[in-house]
Amino acid sequence: MSTIASWLSVCRIYAHPRVMGMLALGFSAGLPMLLILGTLSFWLREAGIDRTTIGHLSWIGLAYGFKWMWSPLVDRLPLPLLTRWLGRRRAWLLLSQTTITIALVGMASTDPLENLSHMVFFALAVAFASATQDIALDAYRIEAVELRLQGAMAATYQAGYRLAMILASAGVLWIAASLDSNPADYDYQSWRIAYLVMAAFMAVGIITTFIIQEPDVSINHLAAENERQASQIIARWNLNIHLTQLLIWLYGALIAPFQNFIVRHGYHAILILTLIAIYRISDVVMGVMSNPFYVDMGYTKDEVAAVSKVYGVIMTILGAAIGGLLIVRLGVIKTLFFGAILSAVTNLLFVWLSMKGHDITALILTISADNLSAGIASSAFIAYLSGLTNSAYSATQYALFSSTMLLLPKFIAGFSGQFVDTYGYALFFTGTTLLGLPVLLLVWMVGRIELKLSTNSKVENRAEKITFG
């Protein structure tokens, strides 16, 4: 009975107001992603665009991998009028959400068969604005609550994110299918209306931005002292006052966040960044070809929408909730390791599915296992990254981590279409499983470091009590 009470106590973390608020904010973050990647690849494939081109166009997602380059601007640069009115996090959220809405309207107004370059331009605009929204939103999430609640914040964020993915995938497919008078032929108008509806749903994010309150972030005195000392050194150079102010700002915005991370973690920073770079590689590389795979296996838009985009996302939300609870009970590292195992192994089910062909039951079983594991892994990974950040540089440091997470996988994923054309789906999905194996070793090594640091900290605390007690 005490065990049940203990688990019920853990579950109460989801009732925290800011934890619940992340549901809507996660929805805002999750809506644009598939509209420029997975759902767009379905649209392009139905329009007759070849798989190699679709694979290369997945590089649009690299915008998320380079967002660390402009994250210091989001962290430090005030927007005229908006920052004073809304605060630094909400100002950038509103700007990015408005840009996403306009760019989605641009995508809806473009037929890829007639002008693929225009489609790429608007998709890139969505990608960069969406990445900017992620920078501001991740900073808000980290600053809004203490570390203890980060697992729950990650879970509700994932829930909202995945609900938006249902809309951006299944919703789009259902709308397009319902308006398509002849499913056997490509119909641009049905896709145009579907994307216009998605643009309208960005209002959820915009309204939420007006409702939430700017987090009250305490000053990190160590970071402030470091920046004060750096400004004193720069001031001694006897430069023009405007140049001096610029250099001081650049140090605080560009150099200090990365310097802080390296100083805190030392040579272990390399190991941590390597883990971040490849933790989700298995899922990211596989994901680019999943929708073309469904098309080539003969699944209809309605079938993909119902099984992969609705039921599958529900399983991901369930996995994210389980991941949040596991983090509270087992800790981040153990949950991280468990999620890595599941993410790699479940890709083998797609090998089995490729041999089965068009089989709804097999698709349901595969999607169940794959999405449940993805939810657990995502919650653990987001909580781990959140714990690595310093509150003084939350936007910049988290952007560095999440960019590192996507850069290599997205680059490799760009060649996925060529790989499938040459070797077939079965070997491709087997290869994505093998890509996930090094992750297990890295999680184990990082876990050993965390355990050693924790042990040393306890020893130092005991020594301090003996000395001063």
Side-chain angles (χ1 to χ4, degrees):
M1 196 70 179
S2 60
T3 302
I4 297 175
S6 176
W7 277 103
L8 289 175
S9 176
V10 171
C11 290
R12 290 195 190 100
I13 60 175
Y14 289 111
H16 190 285
R18 287 195 167 178
V19 172
M20 294 175 64
M22 284 305 298
L23 189 68
L25 294 174
F27 181 92
S28 179
L31 190 66
M33 174 74 85
L34 284 182
L35 296 176
I36 59 171
L37 295 174
T39 304
L40 180 60
S41 70
F42 200 112
W43 180 0
L44 296 177
R45 186 59 178 159
E46 190 176 83
I49 307 298
D50 63 272
R51 285 182 299 227
T52 298
T53 300
I54 293 173
H56 290 163
L57 288 179
S58 71
W59 283 333
I60 290 172
L62 285 175
Y64 294 91
F66 287 102
K67 63 185 178 182
W68 60 271
M69 296 181 68
W70 68 93
S71 60
L73 297 179
V74 180
D75 223 353
R76 293 297 186 98
L77 185 66
L79 295 173
L81 301 178
L82 287 179
T83 299
R84 180 177 295 180
W85 178 31
L86 299 172
R88 60 173 179 162
R89 301 308 182 203
R90 294 197 299 158
W92 280 98
L93 281 173
L94 182 61
L95 175 64
S96 58
Q97 289 161 352
T98 304
T99 304
I100 291 168
T101 304
I102 295 171
L104 285 176
V105 172
M107 289 182 68
S109 305
T110 305
D111 186 346
L113 271 182
E114 295 182 0
N115 204 329
L116 186 59
S117 60
H118 282 192
M119 176 65 77
V120 172
F121 170 79
F122 287 119
L124 280 170
V126 172
F128 278 102
S130 178
T132 302
Q133 179 185 218
D134 287 351
I135 295 170
L137 185 50
D138 288 331
Y140 168 83
R141 176 176 51 77
I142 294 167
E143 295 168 357
V145 298
E146 64 271 25
L147 183 60
R148 182 181 65 87
L149 295 176
Q150 285 300 327
M153 291 284 277
T156 50
Y157 172 87
Q158 283 287 305
Y161 195 98
R162 300 297 174 173
L163 287 172
M165 291 179 72
I166 292 178
L167 183 64
S169 52
V172 171
L173 294 180
W174 276 333
I175 293 171
S178 65
L179 297 173
D180 192 350
S181 57
N182 186 1
D185 296 327
Y186 167 63
D187 180 15
Y188 158 63
Q189 290 301 323
S190 63
W191 286 101
R192 182 181 71 85
I193 295 173
Y195 266 66
L196 285 174
V197 172
M198 295 303 106
F201 268 100
M202 279 304 299
V204 172
I206 294 173
I207 293 171
T208 304
T209 297
F210 284 114
I211 293 174
I212 61 174
Q213 294 183 346
E214 192 77 4
D216 183 18
V217 182
S218 59
I219 299 174
N220 185 297
H221 296 289
L222 180 59
E225 178 61 21
N226 288 339
E227 291 189 33
R228 187 187 66 80
Q229 293 178 5
S231 64
Q232 289 178 343
I233 294 173
I234 295 172
R236 294 172 191 164
W237 295 348
N238 296 322
L239 300 174
N240 177 281
I241 186 170
H242 298 293
L243 181 58
T244 299
Q245 291 175 345
L246 175 62
L247 289 176
I248 292 173
W249 186 87
L250 289 174
Y251 172 82
L254 297 176
I255 299 175
F258 306 114
Q259 180 188 44
N260 172 266
F261 173 72
I262 294 171
V263 169
R264 281 191 295 129
H265 297 283
Y267 65 88
H268 293 148
I270 298 174
L271 179 63
I272 292 171
L273 289 175
T274 304
L275 170 61
I276 293 171
I278 69 170
Y279 184 76
R280 298 311 309 276
I281 192 169
S282 214
D283 285 344
V284 172
V285 174
M286 190 273 290
V288 173
M289 280 296 111
S290 60
N291 279 321
F293 170 70
Y294 299 142
V295 174
D296 292 340
M297 291 294 104
Y299 293 103
T300 65
K301 285 195 286 287
D302 285 336
E303 289 172 339
V304 174
V307 180
S308 177
K309 311 306 180 184
V310 176
Y311 172 75
V313 171
I314 292 172
M315 293 302 293
T316 305
I317 294 172
L318 177 61
I322 293 172
L325 297 177
L326 289 175
I327 289 167
V328 176
R329 296 289 292 180
L330 304 178
V332 173
I333 296 298
K334 289 182 180 179
T335 311
L336 204 64
F337 189 84
F338 183 54
I341 294 176
L342 292 177
S343 294
V345 172
T346 51
N347 281 8
L348 291 175
L349 291 174
F350 283 90
V351 178
W352 171 66
L353 186 61
S354 69
M355 297 175 180
K356 296 284 287 185
H358 186 276
D359 187 324
I360 293 296
T361 302
L363 179 64
I364 292 173
L365 291 174
T366 301
I367 293 299
S368 296
D370 183 64
N371 288 35
L372 188 69
S373 65
I376 293 172
S378 295
S379 282
F381 196 47
I382 291 173
Y384 175 67
L385 297 185
S386 300
L388 290 176
T389 61
N390 185 312
S391 60
Y393 311 111
S394 52
T396 303
Q397 288 186 346
Y398 195 91
L400 170 65
F401 302 147
S402 56
S403 296
T404 303
M405 171 190 72
L406 291 172
L407 198 56
L408 179 62
K410 286 293 183 185
F411 177 75
I412 295 175
F415 299 102
S416 57
Q418 289 174 273
F419 191 96
V420 171
D421 284 340
T422 305
Y423 300 104
Y425 282 112
L427 193 57
F428 170 70
F429 292 130
T430 302
T432 60
T433 297
L434 297 176
L435 284 174
L437 296 181
V439 175
L440 302 177
L441 176 62
L442 288 171
V443 174
W444 177 79
M445 294 173 67
V446 168
R448 295 275 294 178
I449 293 171
E450 295 275 344
L451 180 62
K452 184 178 179 180
L453 291 175
S454 176
T455 302
N456 290 342
S457 177
K458 290 178 180 178
V459 170
E460 289 172 1
N461 288 340
R462 284 199 296 268
E464 185 174 337
K465 288 178 181 177
I466 292 171
T467 303
F468 299 101

